Amino acid sequence: MLLILVTKESNRLMTEKILEVDNLTTSFDTEEGTVRAVNNISFSIEEGETMGIVGESGSGKSVTALSVMRLIESNGSIENGTIHYRGSNLLEKTESEIQSIRGSEISMVFQDTLDSLNPVYTIGTQINRVIRKHRDMDNKEAREETIRLLEQVGIPNAEERIDDYPHQFSGGMRQRALIAMAISCNPSVLIADEPTTALDVTIEAQIFEVLDKIQHETGMSIIVITHDLGVVAGVCDFVNVMYGGEIVEKSKTDDIFGDPQHPYTRGLLRSIPRIGKEEDRLRGIEGNVPNPAALPSGCTFHPRCPHATDECRQHDPSLQEVKRNHRAACIHIDGYKSLHKEDKEIIINDRKKGESDD
Amino acid sequence: MTDKELFQVSGLKKYFDQSQGIIDRYLNDTDQVKAINGVSFAVERGETVGVVGESGCGKSTLARCLINLENPTDGEIKYKGKKFEKFDSGEMDSFRKEVQMVFQDPASSLNRRKTISQTIKAPMEIHGIYENSRDERVRELLERVGLSPDYANRYPHEFSGGQRQRVGIARALSVDPEVLILDEPVSALDVSIQAQILNLLKDLQDDLDLTFVVISHDLSVIEYMCNRVAVMYLGEFMEIANSDVLFSNPQHPYTKALLDALPQPVPELARKRKTLEGNVPSPINPPSGCVFHTRCPLATEECSESRNDPELNSIDQSDENHKVACIHVDEVTNDNLKVDSNIGNDGNYEVENFNS
Ligand SMILES: Nc1ncnc2c1ncn2[C@@H]1O[C@H](COP(=O)(O)OP(=O)(O)OP(=O)(O)O)[C@@H](O)[C@H]1O
Ligand SMILES: Nc1ncnc2c1ncn2[C@@H]1O[C@H](COP(=O)(O)OP(=O)(O)O)[C@@H](O)[C@H]1O
Ligand code: SF4
Ligand code: SF4
Ligand SMILES: [Mg+2]
Ligand SMILES: [Mg+2]
């Protein structure tokens, strides 16, 4: 039994990571001083996997994505860390090397804002341009490829709609067009930063269905960045929870939701009203999301944490394994394990109550 | 009409003219956006009525009609038994005081150049109340919404989104309203802040005997807040019911589709999320017959015939609050569209029971 586990583990270690981010720190010079938007984070993703980065606004999700793409604005810089793509460090590449990777090997879809598509060119022209930049195709071939891509992302009558301008598309269709553009060069990694935040739930479900289909067809890896825990629960294999520029918890999706360890993750989950639950109050999290220009000392979460002690105010906890393949950054995590047991008892009692009520 | 009824809305329609461009205007060829297309319901004292639906379905327009900011194209709205048009100026004044609105975007609904004290005082000045105790009232209101009274002289940019929404709520409360119309009160806020604001609203309702109309695209917010819920699609109500009934026993195919598409923070359920095909059609040219027929998995030819535009009808004699607009509603009760009855009840995921 033990042997089998060990072999499995070593097999796992041998599979190639497509993208490996280690100790990434990115900061910006601002009027308020230096903002450390991403602070010493690490994650990796294998072929065909879907990884989630979830957190509230300002937690550093977008800066993480932009760092990987090497698209940090000029007032910012990657202070520390490595970003290995298929074994080579992207941070050591020249701008022209990066350009040939960006969009073709690793590509990104942003939230559909009015400026993500140029209003004066047709949808087709814009996708066509991306294809011809990275792939050896003439105009006619690229046009056929564009139609195929639009069909792949579920645009009906693609051969007619290709000549539409962005304003003639609905929000959901524009997001599909952006995805078509992002996958036009068969990237190995697709980073989707809040891809459905502006969309209705029914359209959001369609977009993730499309991404899922493409992933099955091409085996690409997807990084989904979102503030929406429901989205993460539905589409990700594993999840990183970010707070104040740090990853505070990471694990498989089922463990994050079924057995959350970090007080912040638990608070987040409690903040969401559940359908079918009689609730008088939401027992969420007190206080506000911290200002990244003035992050609290020690554990960034301490001003809002119900368990904070003096130690928490002084020492910044790093991620440690709390369970197999489940890490959390909390000084008192052992204390929680016992607390946790009490919580479990409450659940069991509740369940018994539920059974006797039926 | 009972004494309890504050609002009574019947056959409400609101169309907007929308000219496509200069040529259209020249040809006098304007399209009409049918933002609200025949809506009837009542709001009783002390209840929380929710209106849920996708973007553009007419929720905000309905809110604006309720506070008399829009002139209905057709139909009528009565407040305390009297139509808006019949109000004399005194009655209009008290209506403007009794019914207050809280907006979605706390950043843009506050004046950047006014201190929050000035902002909160403005409605009291308009209505000439609390003349000698406005500063005290501001401090009291700030405390009531969970802000330090010391913040009174700060400007909106010095606050976070959640704090600004608290200021917006304090402003609405300043004139002792009876009704708050809340248009997407938490959708611009972070998850952890949403919960704080929702709790605050519930406390205020209990303490001040307020009546709420909550407008939101978020089903879980609506379920948490409301006693009664109307589901809106393309300017019409598809279903209206008591909240517990609507969420445990939805009858309209669209209500079910919305519930199926909801991404719940429970992996087992979120992975089973079902997709409703197609897009919301244009409100300029809504589909004939049942407006949902272009996306409805149960649609038959009958549904698209204009003479068959289904009205909201009671489906159960024992529950006159539950009304559904669907000609095939009898068939919907089968399993063909069944919403997972486990939603939120999976014992493994009762995270809300954790104490930490
Ligand atoms: N002043 C106006 N002129 C023209 N069309 C309008 C006007 N106000 C609203 N509409 C249209 O009426 C329809 C309903 O709009 P409304 O703002 O009520 O939607 P909503 O349900 O609140 O949407 P959201 O969830 O996006 O806020 C939309 O098609 C909108 O474009
Ligand atoms: N170009 C920039 N200049 C200064 N600060 C920035 C810049 N980009 C991001 N930041 C700051 O970095 C922090 C993290 O931002 P971001 O990654 O965009 O958060 P989110 O998790 O919401 O995507 C925020 O405080 C943000 O204001
Ligand atoms: S380290 Fe301390 S403050 Fe931080 S999450 Fe753990 S208990 Fe809370
Ligand atoms: S009337 Fe027809 S199209 Fe409309 S909801 Fe019922 S079954 Fe669907
Ligand atoms: Mg972002
Ligand atoms: Mg609106």
Side-chain angles (χ1 to χ4, degrees):
Chain A
M1 184 63 181
L2 193 63
L3 249 176
I4 298 172
L5 278 178
V6 170
T7 4
K8 260 196 184 159
E9 181 70 350
S10 49
N11 263 342
R12 240 180 58 82
L13 289 172
M14 295 204 14
T15 40
E16 199 204 353
K17 305 278 188 191
I18 295 269
L19 186 71
E20 262 185 293
V21 171
D22 284 297
N23 307 106
L24 177 72
T25 299
T26 304
S27 55
F28 294 94
D29 283 331
T30 71
E31 282 172 18
E32 289 180 274
T34 304
V35 171
R36 188 160 282 176
V38 168
N39 193 358
N40 198 25
I41 68 165
S42 303
F43 59 82
S44 62
I45 182 166
E46 291 172 18
E47 189 176 309
E49 276 185 330
T50 303
M51 178 186 100
I53 300 180
V54 66
E56 296 180 285
S57 62
S59 58
K61 307 181 296 294
S62 296
V63 172
T64 301
L66 294 172
S67 301
V68 172
M69 298 297 285
R70 291 240 334 242
L71 285 172
I72 295 293
E73 282 172 55
S74 57
N75 65 326
S77 66
I78 296 176
E79 265 180 44
N80 189 28
T82 56
I83 301 172
H84 282 94
Y85 171 70
R86 292 196 189 278
S88 69
N89 187 357
L90 295 182
L91 299 182
E92 287 165 0
K93 301 230 180 280
T94 63
E95 183 55 33
S96 76
E97 286 170 333
I98 275 292
Q99 278 195 16
S100 71
I101 290 177
R102 200 189 286 146
S104 71
E105 305 274 329
I106 306 177
S107 75
M108 189 155 171
V109 219
F110 300 91
Q111 180 177 333
D112 169 50
T113 50
L114 289 174
D115 53 8
S116 15
L117 286 165
N118 191 329
V120 304
Y121 296 109
T122 64
I123 299 281
T125 307
Q126 298 185 55
I127 300 177
N128 203 308
R129 195 176 288 163
V130 176
I131 294 176
R132 291 178 62 194
K133 183 172 163 205
H134 292 286
R135 291 168 72 175
D136 183 25
M137 283 190 183
D138 65 24
N139 194 26
K140 189 163 162 285
E141 287 166 335
R143 187 179 164 91
E144 272 160 24
E145 179 63 5
T146 302
I147 292 171
R148 190 190 67 77
L149 285 163
L150 288 174
E151 275 165 359
Q152 192 178 11
V153 298
I155 304 264
N157 312 324
E159 66 277 27
E160 287 161 36
R161 302 309 297 259
I162 183 174
D163 296 318
D164 279 2
Y165 288 87
H167 75 267
Q168 292 169 286
F169 271 31
S170 69
M173 284 163 73
R174 279 199 301 272
Q175 195 67 56
R176 286 169 198 263
L178 288 171
I179 292 172
M181 205 181 287
I183 62 165
S184 62
C185 301
N186 283 322
S188 307
V189 180
L190 179 73
I191 306 178
D193 188 358
E194 306 270 7
T196 56
T197 298
L199 302 176
D200 283 317
V201 277
T202 64
I203 309 300
E204 174 182 273
Q206 294 173 2
I207 296 290
F208 281 111
E209 200 173 71
V210 165
L211 286 175
D212 190 54
K213 191 186 86 177
I214 297 166
Q215 185 173 45
H216 274 287
E217 288 164 6
T218 66
M220 72 180 175
S221 311
I222 304 181
I223 299 178
V224 177
I225 293 180
T226 176
H227 67 279
D228 189 331
L229 286 152
V231 162
V232 163
V235 304
C236 296
D237 300 314
F238 61 104
V239 183
N240 299 280
V241 181
M242 280 191 87
Y243 188 79
E246 297 173 13
I247 293 177
V248 296
E249 181 160 4
K250 59 173 14 181
S251 183
K252 291 214 191 73
T253 304
D254 290 274
D255 283 343
I256 289 281
F257 289 89
D259 195 13
Q261 297 290 320
H262 197 281
Y264 174 64
T265 313
R266 293 188 186 181
L268 260 191
L269 285 167
R270 283 195 314 260
S271 298
I272 306 167
R274 303 299 173 96
I275 303 284
K277 269 261 143 34
E278 281 277 325
E279 288 161 304
D280 263 354
R281 294 189 72 73
L282 295 166
R283 296 183 305 109
I285 311 173
E286 303 284 318
N288 288 304
V289 175
N291 172 2
L295 287 177
S297 63
C299 170
T300 322
F301 188 55
H302 85 248
R304 308 178 73 189
C305 181
H307 309 289
T309 60
D310 279 342
E311 216 187 331
C312 305
R313 287 177 262 275
Q314 281 151 21
H315 299 289
D316 188 6
S318 53
L319 280 174
Q320 50 174 313
E321 190 126 82
V322 259
K323 289 170 46 186
R324 217 177 117 74
N325 293 326
H326 191 152
R327 293 159 168 268
C330 169
I331 290 171
H332 297 303
I333 206 84
D334 290 331
Y336 292 129
K337 280 186 190 150
S338 51
L339 237 181
H340 210 146
K341 226 184 275 163
E342 289 165 32
D343 290 334
K344 284 235 163 85
E345 273 158 28
I346 296 174
I347 291 181
I348 292 164
N349 284 338
D350 265 23
R351 232 186 264 167
K352 279 191 192 137
K353 237 186 283 162
E355 279 161 17
S356 57
D357 284 351
D358 294 338
Chain B
M1 223 294 318
T2 65
D3 285 353
K4 284 169 69 189
E5 268 169 22
L6 285 180
F7 281 102
Q8 201 170 31
V9 177
S10 38
L12 182 71
K13 290 186 181 171
K14 177 67 197 178
Y15 296 173
F16 295 101
D17 285 340
Q18 191 189 57
S19 39
Q20 293 292 331
I22 291 171
I23 309 269
D24 291 337
R25 246 176 282 157
Y26 178 72
L27 295 172
N28 208 1
D29 189 9
T30 46
D31 282 324
Q32 288 204 308
V33 181
K34 300 187 169 100
I36 301 183
N37 207 2
V39 153
S40 305
F41 69 109
V43 179
E44 290 185 7
R45 198 181 291 280
E47 69 175 346
T48 302
V49 177
V51 180
V52 68
E54 295 178 277
S55 181
C57 72
K59 305 181 296 294
S60 296
T61 306
L62 179 60
R64 293 167 59 80
C65 287
L66 285 179
I67 54 168
N68 199 22
L69 271 180
E70 300 281 3
N71 264 330
T73 307
D74 197 11
E76 60 177 34
I77 303 178
K78 284 181 184 165
Y79 177 71
K80 293 189 173 171
K82 202 164 185 182
K83 289 193 222 173
F84 288 157
E85 306 94 89
K86 299 270 168 68
F87 282 176
D88 61 30
S89 67
E91 284 166 327
M92 190 48 91
D93 268 358
S94 29
F95 173 76
R96 293 226 166 97
K97 181 178 145 326
E98 288 167 20
V99 183
Q100 293 294 321
M101 178 124 175
V102 174
F103 297 92
Q104 162 169 2
D105 184 359
S108 60
S109 69
L110 300 178
N111 188 329
R112 283 185 301 131
R113 280 184 291 273
K114 283 188 179 169
T115 64
I116 61 166
S117 167
Q118 288 168 322
T119 292
I120 295 171
K121 271 184 207 162
M124 297 189 252
E125 282 157 7
I126 291 169
H127 292 282
I129 53 174
Y130 291 105
E131 207 154 342
N132 300 314
S133 56
R134 283 182 194 146
D135 285 315
E136 205 183 307
R137 174 89 178 137
V138 167
R139 298 176 71 83
E140 181 191 303
L141 285 162
L142 285 175
E143 224 154 72
R144 170 111 258 163
V145 299
L147 291 173
S148 160
D150 301 339
Y151 289 172
N153 293 319
R154 296 198 185 173
Y155 289 87
H157 74 264
E158 299 175 69
F159 292 93
S160 68
Q163 289 171 324
R164 283 194 284 250
Q165 191 59 294
R166 289 177 194 266
V167 174
I169 293 168
R171 172 180 56 187
L173 294 177
S174 65
V175 292
D176 299 307
E178 294 177 25
V179 186
L180 288 192
I181 315 267
L182 302 135
D183 189 357
E184 303 277 7
V186 295
S187 40
L189 305 175
D190 274 317
V191 182
S192 68
I193 310 301
Q194 286 196 3
Q196 297 172 0
I197 298 292
L198 293 176
N199 282 340
L200 169 67
L201 288 169
K202 277 206 161 179
D203 290 346
L204 291 171
Q205 180 167 44
D206 288 348
D207 295 350
L208 305 173
D209 290 327
L210 294 166
T211 303
F212 283 170
V213 177
V214 181
I215 284 172
S216 177
H217 68 283
D218 185 334
L219 282 164
S220 33
V221 166
I222 288 286
E223 198 226 13
Y224 177 68
M225 290 295 293
C226 303
N227 317 112
R228 223 144 54 78
V229 179
V231 179
M232 200 167 182
Y233 185 78
L234 270 180
E236 299 181 26
F237 282 179
M238 300 289 101
E239 180 162 8
I240 184 165
N242 290 346
S243 185
D244 51 342
V245 174
L246 191 98
F247 286 94
S248 62
N249 188 21
Q251 292 297 317
H252 196 282
Y254 179 61
T255 313
K256 294 188 179 230
L258 270 187
L259 275 165
D260 279 344
L262 183 71
Q264 304 221 48
V266 178
E268 267 92 340
L269 303 178
R271 286 179 194 132
K272 278 194 282 190
R273 212 174 159 184
K274 275 180 242 145
T275 320
L276 180 65
E277 297 299 321
N279 292 304
V280 180
S282 158
I284 293 173
N285 234 326
S288 60
C290 171
V291 281
F292 187 54
H293 85 250
T294 56
R295 302 174 82 192
C296 180
L298 286 190
T300 60
E301 220 145 277
E302 265 181 292
C303 302
S304 59
E305 288 167 22
S306 40
R307 66 189 156 85
N308 285 333
D309 187 4
E311 305 257 319
L312 272 183
N313 275 317
S314 294
I315 49 159
D316 176 357
Q317 289 180 336
S318 66
D319 180 4
E320 59 172 39
N321 276 338
H322 193 175
K323 294 183 179 153
V324 182
C326 169
I327 58 176
H328 294 308
V329 67
D330 296 339
E331 292 148 51
V332 187
T333 43
N334 304 333
D335 272 353
N336 50 6
L337 280 170
K338 200 163 161 28
V339 172
D340 201 300
S341 59
N342 272 329
I343 285 182
N345 286 334
D346 190 326
N348 288 326
Y349 291 98
E350 296 193 32
V351 188
E352 47 274 70
N353 283 320
F354 287 113
N355 275 324
S356 56

